[in-house]
Amino acid sequence: MDVIRLSQEWKVKEPLARGGFASVFLAEAEDGSEAVVKLIPKEPGADRELLFGDIPKDVPNVLPVLDKGEWDDKLVLVMPKAEQSLRQHLDAKGQLEAGEAVAILLDVAIALQGLHGKVVHRDLKPENVLFYGGHWVLADFGIARYAEASTAPDTRKHAMTPGYAAPEQWRSEHATSATDVYAFGVMAFELVEGGRPFEGPGVADFRQQHLDRPAPVPTKGTASLASLIGECLYKPPQARPTPANLRARLEAVGRPASPAQARLQQVQKNIVQSQLEEDARESAQKSVEQQRRELVQVAKDSLATIEGLLEDRVRQNAPSATIRFSRGSLEIQLGGVACGRCRSQVPRAVETRT
């Protein structure tokens, strides 16, 4: 049995799980209580895992960190052992009753409100929501970052779970708390409907669906809950509710509505559905424009490669030649005399004239 020495000793026992960046083991504290040890290989961006231990203690519904540090060639996080994950709960129960779903979502919304402006989780999903101390809490901040930080190459910005990734993540854009709200909407849809709004199954399928397909509005639960979930799934980040708005509206979901309020809620649900469809059309157009820009860049890069190869070939055979590229044309001079000119066009083939 391995013993890890940090601020105290932790006896590492049997493995529990292995994720994308780390391994998780059951551990025993000096007083005999159980804990969970997460061992993270020291790789670029791995220190983001330790961000979990820096989350302010006053943020509610976040799994606490008992100890952290380094051991051998690993970074180490020690956390309490939770009772179960939300994924395990869903696998056991399937679709949840609306009341239970709202209670779970409210716990998560309270955590997101506490994190707002401090930390962006960036990988919110049922596997990272754990039942601990009578509440559902957030865990596994392995690809999280401080909210005000720029997205640097070592922040694992491209790491994400396809089924829950927001459109801005697919476009490699800056992640904000709205990114977590989108994943919250996917998870909320799953709790209420028994399945995600987009089912892939491949990564390319998920990308197309999250970017270009309108998310469905839930058919189960109240109209106000369905509207809230739909708004979380808006394509533009700025259109989604804030975490504070999520919490306030979830707290109001269980209150009885008057007939007039019920009619207004149904109208709002219809408006949300229309907006989701409009957002999808605009996002699809943005995707087409982005693809065009990418194709143009690929063509430019290919042309530069061709020109480089052509220049190398000329220099191999005529070292004294003067070579000049200008607006897609290549002019070759030997002894001050222009002996040839090539005009390169994209996407047409290279044309040679003498």
Side-chain angles (χ1 to χ4, degrees):
M1 181 183 298
D2 292 333
V3 176
I4 294 177
R5 295 177 179 85
L6 300 173
S7 64
Q8 64 171 294
E9 290 189 352
W10 302 93
K11 296 178 180 178
V12 180
K13 301 167 76 172
E14 67 266 22
L16 294 177
R18 179 168 180 81
F21 304 116
S23 299
V24 180
F25 296 83
L26 186 65
E28 183 179 310
E30 293 174 354
D31 61 3
S33 60
E34 284 190 328
V36 171
V37 167
K38 187 174 185 179
L39 301 179
I40 309 111
K42 291 181 181 178
E43 299 173 352
D47 56 347
R48 310 298 293 183
E49 299 270 359
L50 298 185
L51 174 64
F52 189 9
D54 296 331
I55 294 173
K57 303 302 181 185
D58 61 347
V59 175
N61 295 353
V62 172
L63 189 70
V65 171
L66 304 176
D67 208 348
K68 68 174 183 175
E70 299 184 19
W71 183 253
D72 291 338
D73 61 344
K74 302 287 195 303
L75 301 175
V76 184
L77 279 174
V78 184
M79 299 157 285
K81 187 177 184 296
E83 295 180 34
Q84 64 174 337
S85 71
L86 182 53
R87 172 60 64 208
Q88 292 169 324
H89 186 61
L90 288 174
D91 288 345
K93 296 193 66 173
Q95 180 185 333
L96 304 181
E97 294 292 332
E100 183 182 8
V102 169
I104 294 171
L105 294 172
L106 182 55
D107 276 349
V108 177
I110 290 171
L112 291 180
Q113 183 182 13
L115 293 172
H116 190 204
K118 301 181 180 75
V119 175
V120 182
H121 190 288
R122 296 202 299 181
D123 196 26
L124 184 60
K125 56 187 177 182
E127 288 80 356
N128 292 338
V129 178
L130 308 178
F131 192 70
Y132 170 75
H135 294 279
W136 291 96
V137 302
L138 294 189
D140 202 341
F141 285 69
I143 62 173
R145 65 164 179 78
Y146 283 108
E148 71 277 7
S150 61
T151 304
D154 64 350
T155 61
R156 291 174 172 167
K157 63 179 283 190
H158 299 294
M160 57 187 177
T161 302
Y164 300 85
E168 59 269 24
Q169 288 177 288
W170 291 105
R171 291 194 172 101
S172 298
E173 295 172 350
H174 190 67
T176 66
S177 64
T179 305
D180 289 341
V181 169
Y182 185 92
F184 177 93
V186 176
M187 193 169 66
F189 189 100
E190 187 173 6
L191 265 59
V192 172
E193 293 288 305
R196 294 189 296 261
F198 304 120
E199 293 290 355
V203 173
D205 301 308
F206 278 121
R207 184 182 192 280
Q208 187 275 328
Q209 292 160 8
H210 284 290
L211 284 175
D212 304 336
R213 185 179 298 178
V217 172
T219 59
K220 301 178 177 66
T222 64
S224 59
L225 178 60
S227 296
L228 178 59
I229 294 173
E231 290 173 41
C232 292
L233 297 174
Y234 282 159
K235 306 295 185 189
Q238 65 275 12
R240 300 171 201 148
T242 64
N245 185 258
L246 283 181
R247 177 178 180 175
R249 291 169 67 180
L250 285 168
E251 289 174 338
V253 162
R255 300 172 191 162
S258 67
Q261 289 175 324
R263 287 193 296 272
L264 285 174
Q265 290 171 0
Q266 186 59 49
V267 169
Q268 175 63 17
K269 180 180 177 180
N270 295 336
I271 292 173
V272 169
Q273 180 66 72
S274 298
Q275 188 61 53
L276 286 166
E277 293 170 358
E278 177 62 26
D279 287 347
R281 285 191 292 269
E282 293 180 0
S283 182
Q285 181 60 38
K286 184 176 180 180
S287 295
V288 169
E289 293 171 356
Q290 182 178 20
Q291 289 171 1
R292 288 173 178 166
R293 289 193 297 270
E294 291 172 352
L295 286 172
V296 169
Q297 187 59 51
V298 168
K300 289 180 178 178
D301 293 343
S302 298
L303 176 59
T305 300
I306 292 170
E307 290 176 342
L309 293 172
L310 182 57
E311 180 179 0
D312 289 342
R313 183 61 58 88
V314 171
R315 292 196 183 282
Q316 289 173 10
N317 292 278
S320 63
T322 299
I323 303 170
R324 185 169 65 90
F325 289 100
S326 177
R327 296 183 179 180
S329 295
L330 169 64
E331 183 177 340
I332 304 170
Q333 290 186 343
L334 288 172
V337 178
C339 64
R341 177 174 294 171
C342 300
R343 182 182 300 277
S344 301
Q345 298 184 3
V346 179
R348 293 178 56 189
V350 174
E351 175 187 298
T352 304
R353 298 186 297 178
T354 58

